[in-house]
Amino acid sequence: MASLTFRPWTRDAPEAGSLKDVLSRVAADRGHFRELTEAALQEEIAGEGALESSDSDEDDENDDREDSQASAKPATRDDLFKARAEMLQHIDTANNEVMIALDFVSLLLTKDAPEKGKTTISAEIKKQIPLGSLGYDMWQNMPVNKAREAQDALLATNVRMETLQRSADSLLVAADRLESNVRKETQYWDQILSITANGWNVCKLPGQQHRLGVTYGFNESAPEFSRRGIAALNASPDGGILLERGIGSKPKAMRVVLRQGGLAVGRSRVPTVADESETMLEARIRHARNSLFDEELYHELLRESRGQASLGVSTTGDGIVFRSTSAESPQSTEVLLELVGLYDIQDDLDVKLEQDTLAQVIALVARTLLSQAHREKVKKRSGVPPPLSERRDDRPTLPILRPVMAFLLQHTAMKLVNQYTSSIGSLLAAAHIDHEDQLAAFDLSKAAEIHGVEDLAGILMQRWTSESVLSFYGTKITIRLETTLAQSFGTLYTLIGTNGRVSKFTECEELRTSCDAAIASELALYLQRKAGQAWKCNVREALITKHDSKDGKEDRIWVTVDSQAGLLALNSPTKKISWGSQSSSSNTFHDAWLELLG
Amino acid sequence: MHELALYSQIPTTRHTQVLQILSGVTASQPTETLEQTLIYQQLRLPDSGTSKKAQNRVVTAQPLRLTYHKLVRDLKEPSGDKTPWTFRSEDVPSPGVQNLIMRSVIETFITEADLERFRQGQVWYKYINQFLTHPSHRFIHGNIIIRISRLLSVPEGTGALEPLDAPVPALEDCKPVDPSGSFMFEAVVRVEDGGNSKLVELATKELLAFKKTVEGVVDLRVPERLSLDSRVKVKGT
């Protein structure tokens, strides 16, 4: 506080006025310490000698004040009011501050001098803060401890560095994660693109957002199979793609096994498990598709076999079995269609059997027929539907097994007929009879017209026919084979003899005996024609007789042909000349005849 | 049999788009057809015979009014011009059904003998007009037959020759009935027996479900029932 020294009045003894009195005097004289500075007072003292100067000073001061007041004098009434309001505001704030300071000091006082404090403290504070709760202590200023300050500074630096480090670390972690995310996404989309590039159809999964799936099924399958034809592509944690669990892991395939007499003589090929040209994912998808197709094929075959039980098809625990002839014989081949898991049969894949090709052909034909059935379904679906009526159509069985069976039956029948023809041929050759034969073969005249799979399937659906011709001595015997599974099981054999007589058989044995008889009859007829008028021929029994007028007896000569035993014989009641497997005479047929006659 | 139908109109610009969308919905490609329809007016009701028994019988089986009948054939079939005609007779749509058009339709192959009735000079039918539909596509979706076609009217004077035997009018001469060239979209379900409510319900459900499926692409609606009235209006009085 500026120390004020007043020259004491000479008259009165100067009261060393208490500060309070001094202050009150100053306040009364000069206003409340307003515009009171040491410099100004020094000036006053310096210029106070003369009254004029003090008057002038006062005047100056007054002028100054007036000037300052003039400068501060507001221009308009509004400004005046504004200034007034501002001033009041300042005063209020100042008042507030001072009251707060007073409260603070009073509160402090209430601890040590409660009465004094209580008088000056305001009511609000008294309500809110319990009295005597603020105390003070005087502390010595602590000496400057350089070491501790250095330590503090070091600690502060360390803490700051730590926090900065932590934020740097978290930023790095975020960057790493971002990078790994980007890498995973790139990998994921690369794989999806490669799958699409290989022809698989990637689509949105119905009912699941944000997930893609690959379709490998067929639209025209039965509903339970076409529903299974889609698999979700899930992202694995390292960005690769995983196929939905379980798809393609246990692939199945249909296999055809040909058995003769209980032993396997032919096996169709199943697709190999490993293929180096594709990734694991695509291999799984491919396995899934093949497996689904074969499973559907097996399912349809089962359905068909249930309806065809009358045709000799049966289902065992392994699969579907049917025989190639209706008779049981060691020759007949048994065909077994089974569904095998690819991983279960790896061991016996390397053994090559003789009829592998036939088995493979059967498998291929079955698959082609299933595709054809799908195509038929599309065509049927696109045609104008009949009006709705009460009739409910069950799902028709697809004709897959039947064409295969028809083909096999025809094949076996042809083999049998050809066997027969060649045995007869050898018998005739042994007897030096000129003959010609034409073996039965598949009638492939329409093969030139095949333009696509549909034509091929069309041919498979039709009935099979073939023909075998045996001719000797100017006569011709024709055997025709016809297989169609529309009416009945088995091949229809037709024997056409020289005189146009047609006879039909269903069993090869019957055909054999009939044909033997026909050949014998023909030979007898030939002999009769050779022999002349005297001899008569009983065609049915292959017997020629001559009525001998001398003895009254009949000369009889008959021919027997037995292809089963492999025997061709010319017999008379007394003698027998035979050719064939057991004993063969070296005569020709003609010589033998002359021998018997004579 | 009865037919349940819904109709819509497709502007020319959207034709290809609608064909593609329907191919996706039905999972099959459209079949192109070119139909020639001849419209005949019935002049006389077919007699049921003049025996006494017939006269006593109540004549409810007879149509009460003369109607317009149609002869339709599809020229895109392999037999081309020689395709046999189909006789088609449509009744007024049933009044009770609100959300689709249901009407009784007779559609049969017609024999040569019956075809004679339609020739000129006969007392049974009078030739009125004919129209072609080109380009016309057909989709099948379950039991629904969907037809998208543009109707072309034939040039003047085509009716002069016997329409059954006359050569098909050249497509270049025919003008569209609707000058803007927009297409007519028809979705039809056929029911064998209209009295069987179970079947009709099934058919209705299927048709309405299809309407919902193509909502947004094609707006299927029910046209004014009486605009499909096939009865001959008797003039006078």
Side-chain angles (χ1 to χ4, degrees), chain B residues 96-109:
Chain B
V97 189
Q98 298 292 347
N99 44 1
L100 33 83
I101 294 277
M102 172 160 138
R103 57 187 172 180
S104 166
V105 170
I106 302 172
E107 202 173 87
T108 52
F109 276 112

Side-chain angles (χ1 to χ4, degrees), chain A residues 509-548:
Chain A
E509 288 308 310
E510 295 171 13
L511 172 75
R512 218 186 266 262
T513 39
S514 229
C515 201
D516 289 344
I519 295 176
S521 311
E522 287 308 315
L523 287 174
L525 259 180
Y526 165 73
L527 286 178
Q528 192 254 357
R529 267 186 256 120
K530 269 265 160 102
Q533 306 292 28
W535 291 85
K536 287 198 206 19
C537 178
N538 182 343
V539 178
R540 219 161 46 85
E541 290 176 27
L543 173 69
I544 42 179
T545 55
K546 182 168 99 171
H547 192 84
D548 199 349

